[in-house]
Amino acid sequence: VRVAARHAAAPPLRPVHGIRLATGYYSYQVGLSFPLFSAGQSARTKSAKIEHDVAVQNYDRQQRELTSERNAVSTQYEKWKKSLEYYRGTALPLAQEQQQAAIRYYKEGATDYLGFIQNMKDATQIQFDYWNCFSEYLNTRFNLEYCY
């Protein structure tokens, strides 16, 4: 922008060459043109510089926002990944054990129907929470890999 503006604002150089046959001499002239009112070009140059500066600032701001959003999604991804590891390593095996124990105790008569239903509901809720966690993990992974 600056080079083009300087070139446009530079005065044009006009060389002229001529031959006079009657007297037998050559003539050369060089002329420069200076605009009397260069405020228009100066204003366009300043406007272009301001537009350039605004564009650079907008680009920098968008880059910072994108980096911030990416960091937030990365943090969410790590959170869901750790939660998923917890569910797979601890909660799901305990829920399965709880279901098996509830069935066994109900068959043996050690618990009543309401106790059996409550134990099964709790174990099923853990499984449901696992699938929600898995869904959030996949969503954040997708966002991290394909959106940022």
Side-chain angles (χ1 to χ4, degrees):
V1 172
R2 292 180 184 167
V3 174
R6 285 184 192 155
H7 180 68
L13 183 64
R14 300 180 196 273
V16 177
H17 165 264
I19 302 174
R20 216 167 180 138
L21 294 177
T23 58
Y25 67 89
Y26 294 95
S27 68
Y28 296 97
Q29 293 179 351
V30 177
L32 287 174
S33 242
F34 290 101
L36 294 176
F37 304 103
S38 65
Q41 182 62 35
S42 176
R44 285 190 292 276
T45 303
K46 286 179 184 177
S47 174
K49 182 181 181 326
I50 290 170
E51 287 177 10
H52 176 265
D53 291 345
V54 167
V56 167
Q57 288 174 356
N58 285 339
Y59 175 78
D60 290 342
R61 180 183 48 78
Q62 287 176 345
Q63 286 297 105
R64 285 190 307 272
E65 287 175 2
L66 188 61
T67 301
S68 175
E69 289 173 12
R70 182 167 174 45
N71 289 341
V73 169
S74 181
T75 302
Q76 288 293 317
Y77 172 77
E78 290 301 322
K79 178 187 103 172
W80 290 116
K81 184 178 176 183
K82 287 180 182 179
S83 294
L84 202 57
E85 290 171 0
Y86 162 75
Y87 276 107
R88 286 180 177 163
T90 305
L92 283 179
L94 287 176
Q96 186 176 12
E97 185 179 316
Q98 183 179 359
Q99 284 177 332
Q100 291 171 350
I103 292 170
R104 187 174 60 244
Y105 291 150
Y106 181 70
K107 284 183 179 179
E108 293 173 357
T111 186
D112 63 346
Y113 183 72
L114 290 176
F116 169 74
I117 294 296
Q118 184 62 42
N119 283 330
M120 293 300 283
K121 178 183 172 260
D122 293 343
T124 305
Q125 184 62 46
I126 291 171
Q127 292 172 338
F128 181 73
D129 293 343
Y130 163 76
W131 287 112
N132 282 335
C133 177
F134 187 65
S135 174
E136 291 295 331
Y137 168 79
L138 290 178
N139 285 335
T140 55
R141 182 174 174 187
F142 174 82
N143 287 336
L144 194 61
E145 289 183 16
Y146 297 107
C147 296
Y148 295 101

